Amino acid sequence: MFLKAGALSLALLLASRLLGLARESAQAAAFGTSGLGDVAVLMLALPDWLAGLLASGALAYVLLPHWAKQAPAAQAATQRAVALALLALGGMLGLAIWIGRGPLVVLLAAGLAPDLRGLAGQSLGWSALALPAALLAALWATRLQHERDFVGMYGANLVVNGVLVAALLLIAFNDPSTQGLVQLGGYFLLAMGLRLGWLFWRQRARPGLAAAVIRRDETMPEIRNEAPGMQRPGLPLVADPRQRSVPTPAHLPATSVWLWAALSAGLPLALPFAARSMASSGGEGALATFNYAWKLVELPLILAIQLVATLAFPAITQAFARDAGAAGQPGADATQAVRNAFALAWTLACATAAGLLLGAPALTQLLFGWGRMGPDALARVAAWGAAGAWGLLPQALIAVALTVLATQGRMRWAAGAYALALGALLAAAGWAGGDGLRLMGALNAVLAGVALGILVALGPVVRRWLPARLMVVTGAALGMLALAQAAGALPASAGQGMPALALALAAALAMVGLGAMAGPDLRQALRR
């Protein structure tokens, strides 16, 4: 099921994530790890972070299983109702951000110099304006995910990141100053608007989705010339114009379902965000340094691990529906779908962790070494990013397990586990003291606890879902690789340039090869 998404879709995903990394690289070139860099990170990250915290994951966890049980007309009605609610929520939150921008800057960027706090507050105004567009984009992307239109989903990221990369490069070469940061706010709003335009167009271009975005009194172009009472495959029945049209009511999931899904999807995003804010106490530029280090971890997390969960989610929900297994007794289809997802996600996590452990210095130099970042800042980014690589393993288990809990409507288990993890991370603030290495270690520890708790919540059936042999073989190989690196047996891993990158790539490919030889699970997942 994973390769059938289409080569073009996967190519667009890869391009969108690489362009997102280019955005971080251009941002580092423009502002480095200065106070202006902290402000730029805060402005650009806040709207999408809030959209993810409040909506993006929750929309997928709630609406994908819900839409799977609805007819197209009911799906469209549900989408319209949720869109109105999200726009209202975005407007109210944006107003709250603007009113409370002063205290919010102190909370989110404690290490920022006092003379930059006014500029940071102004930048949060741009974030507030962009928030409603970010929330609506999250809904429309979820609908495209339901329809498996991955070209539309990932193409939206290409649009927004393409505009921002161009804007950041323009600023880097012309005016990397306070005025340049102000100009960046305008470019940011332009990028968010163009992303909405792309998502709107993708829905209008698909007959099955057009009803969700057109006015209720507008007839779809494909059926305007059909006679009343006629129906074409895949299109709604053409009503008699003499009959009064009655809009299809929206049947939304219960409020409690939304609440637990929002907590389960949002709290994971709160962990790195909180760690980044805690790192800011280390002084000016520490927030940006931690942000760049986390991007080294986030790239394989999104590009490989969460990709598996994204592609597997519709297949898992449909397999559970076929097996009627959501009540706790999954059948053969559901078991195979979940086991395939676990096998691929875990293998990719081990492979990317191996590559990051060995190639972090070279990758950091390649991505961020051509701008305004000095050698000391680059070394910190590489060290912090390599430390965060270990968190990819529990996040692989979490990503797949959450799709199962969402399908079963048991997201409160995940919400509880993440709430405890967030509390534990905040409690470690005094011990970490703004040190990025300690913060990455604390993140890894709480993520491991979350993974254990969620797997326990799945029940005894999880023993059939986990490819134990594959996990032991690849996990042990990763551990031996780390020991060899610590003992100095892999000197190229401490260097920069192509030799170090080649070694990292070889280690990642070797990990995939070990997974394929450990049993049939990985090979079967790739075939499907």
Side-chain angles (χ1 to χ4, degrees):
M1 62 182 152
F2 305 108
L3 297 183
K4 289 182 178 179
L8 179 59
S9 301
L10 295 177
L12 278 173
L13 172 64
L14 178 62
S16 70
R17 296 311 175 190
L18 291 178
L19 197 58
L21 200 58
R23 162 181 155 180
E24 299 295 331
S25 182
Q27 182 176 305
F31 303 111
T33 53
S34 64
L36 289 177
D38 289 350
V39 175
V41 168
L42 193 60
M43 177 179 69
L44 296 180
L46 188 61
D48 277 338
W49 178 77
L50 282 174
L53 183 72
L54 300 172
S56 297
L59 290 171
Y61 290 146
V62 174
L63 291 181
L64 290 183
H66 188 68
W67 279 334
K69 304 171 186 176
Q70 286 189 312
Q75 292 172 357
T78 298
Q79 181 174 335
R80 285 192 297 267
V82 174
L84 292 175
L86 288 176
L87 288 174
L89 176 63
M92 290 187 294
L93 285 177
L95 181 61
I97 290 172
W98 176 249
I99 294 174
R101 60 191 181 279
L104 196 58
V105 167
V106 176
L107 177 65
L108 299 180
L112 200 62
D115 59 335
L116 286 176
R117 289 180 180 175
L119 177 62
Q122 181 181 351
S123 298
L124 287 183
W126 295 109
S127 299
L129 290 173
L131 183 56
L135 289 169
L136 187 59
L139 172 64
W140 288 354
T142 302
R143 185 59 191 272
L144 294 180
Q145 180 184 357
H146 171 74
E147 301 292 334
R148 301 196 184 191
D149 181 8
F150 299 109
V151 173
M153 283 179 61
Y154 301 127
N157 293 331
L158 282 175
V159 171
V160 68
N161 285 326
V163 173
L164 288 176
V165 167
L168 286 164
L169 289 176
L170 183 65
I171 292 170
F173 290 111
N174 290 283
D175 191 13
S177 64
T178 299
Q179 186 59 35
L181 191 62
V182 173
Q183 295 172 3
L184 182 60
Y187 289 123
F188 183 39
L189 289 184
L190 174 64
M192 300 294 274
L194 290 176
R195 178 172 66 177
L196 271 184
W198 165 268
L199 291 169
F200 182 84
W201 173 74
R202 289 299 299 184
Q203 292 180 93
R204 290 297 300 265
R206 297 174 67 88
L209 294 178
V213 294
I214 60 179
R215 300 189 306 271
R216 290 184 178 182
D217 60 346
E218 180 180 350
T219 306
M220 289 194 298
E222 292 84 351
I223 61 175
R224 283 183 184 139
N225 298 322
E226 297 287 353
M230 297 287 291
Q231 184 174 18
R232 288 194 288 167
L235 295 177
L237 181 68
V238 180
D240 191 324
R242 294 169 295 180
Q243 296 179 354
R244 185 173 181 178
S245 176
V246 179
T248 302
H251 298 284
L252 299 176
T255 303
S256 60
V257 175
W258 286 102
L259 175 63
W260 289 114
L263 289 173
S264 303
L267 287 172
L269 299 176
L271 290 176
F273 190 87
R276 190 179 68 190
S277 297
M278 291 160 64
S280 178
S281 64
E284 188 172 299
L287 186 150
T289 301
F290 190 90
N291 176 72
Y292 299 137
W294 182 252
K295 292 302 176 182
L296 296 179
V297 179
E298 192 177 54
L299 178 66
L301 174 64
I302 296 176
L303 190 59
I305 297 167
Q306 291 183 356
L307 169 64
V308 172
T310 299
L311 297 181
F313 201 175
I316 288 174
T317 58
Q318 292 165 14
F320 270 83
R322 286 194 301 269
D323 291 340
Q329 295 297 325
D333 284 352
T335 295
Q336 192 62 61
V338 176
R339 189 178 178 92
N340 287 343
F342 271 126
L344 190 52
W346 176 267
T347 303
L348 291 176
C350 289
T352 53
L356 190 53
L357 284 173
L358 299 185
L363 187 59
T364 302
Q365 179 66 35
L366 175 67
L367 295 175
F368 306 120
W370 57 279
R372 300 179 63 199
M373 293 180 63
D376 291 341
L378 291 172
R380 285 196 300 272
V381 170
W384 296 2
W390 292 101
L392 292 170
L393 274 65
Q395 290 186 88
L397 301 176
I398 292 169
V400 178
L402 284 179
T403 65
V404 179
L405 289 178
T407 301
Q408 295 176 327
R410 298 195 296 136
M411 295 301 291
R412 65 184 61 193
W413 290 93
Y418 270 113
L420 291 174
L422 181 59
L425 180 63
L426 294 176
W431 168 76
D435 185 287
L437 283 175
R438 289 191 173 189
L439 285 170
M440 284 294 187
L443 268 177
N444 295 341
V446 298
L447 287 170
V450 170
L452 179 61
I454 293 179
L455 290 177
V456 170
L458 290 178
V461 71
V462 76
R463 291 195 294 267
R464 288 194 284 133
W465 290 344
L466 290 176
R469 184 177 178 182
L470 179 148
M471 294 173 65
V472 169
V473 170
T474 51
L478 182 62
M480 289 188 290
L481 185 67
L483 290 175
Q485 182 193 33
L490 300 170
S493 65
Q496 298 174 355
M498 291 306 300
L501 290 175
L503 178 64
L505 179 60
L509 293 175
M511 203 64 64
V512 175
L514 280 175
M517 292 187 293
D521 293 300
L522 181 60
R523 298 192 298 271
Q524 188 168 6
L526 292 172
R527 282 198 299 268
R528 294 173 71 89

